[in-house]
Amino acid sequence: MEILQIALQVIIVVTGILCIMFVLLNKDKGGGLSDMFGGGMTQSLNTSGAAQKNVVRITTVLAIVWVLAIVSYGLLMRFNGPGV
């Protein structure tokens, strides 16, 4: 059970960091990371509508994985206790 707890903790941390990065890349949704690095980043992200759609899709998948990992970890703690 400890291996599962550690795996879920790692998944939660990694997906949380990745979610923050991808949310900041979503210019249409209010993220401004693409403007911080000048015109090159902005042009490369905005030239293709498909690239922006892929960023949105990846963000959505990461958010779903993050929520599922948190719920799974909560259920694991609820039924097995934190000391197991």
Side-chain angles (χ1 to χ4, degrees):
M1 284 298 170
E2 284 187 32
I3 294 173
L4 183 59
Q5 287 177 355
I6 293 170
L8 285 172
Q9 290 172 355
V10 169
I11 290 170
I12 290 169
V13 170
V14 170
T15 55
I17 292 170
L18 289 174
C19 277
I20 291 170
M21 288 175 33
F22 276 99
V23 164
L24 289 175
L25 283 175
N26 282 325
K27 184 178 175 91
D28 293 339
K29 306 295 182 190
L33 187 64
S34 60
D35 291 335
M36 284 177 63
F37 299 109
M41 184 92 165
T42 303
Q43 289 174 356
S44 67
L45 286 175
N46 291 336
T47 54
S48 172
Q52 185 63 31
K53 287 181 184 177
N54 287 336
V55 170
V56 172
R57 289 179 185 142
I58 292 170
T59 306
T60 305
V61 169
L62 283 171
I64 290 170
V65 170
W66 183 73
V67 168
L68 290 175
I70 287 178
V71 169
S72 300
Y73 188 73
L75 289 173
L76 186 67
M77 292 295 102
R78 170 73 170 102
F79 293 113
N80 290 329
V84 176

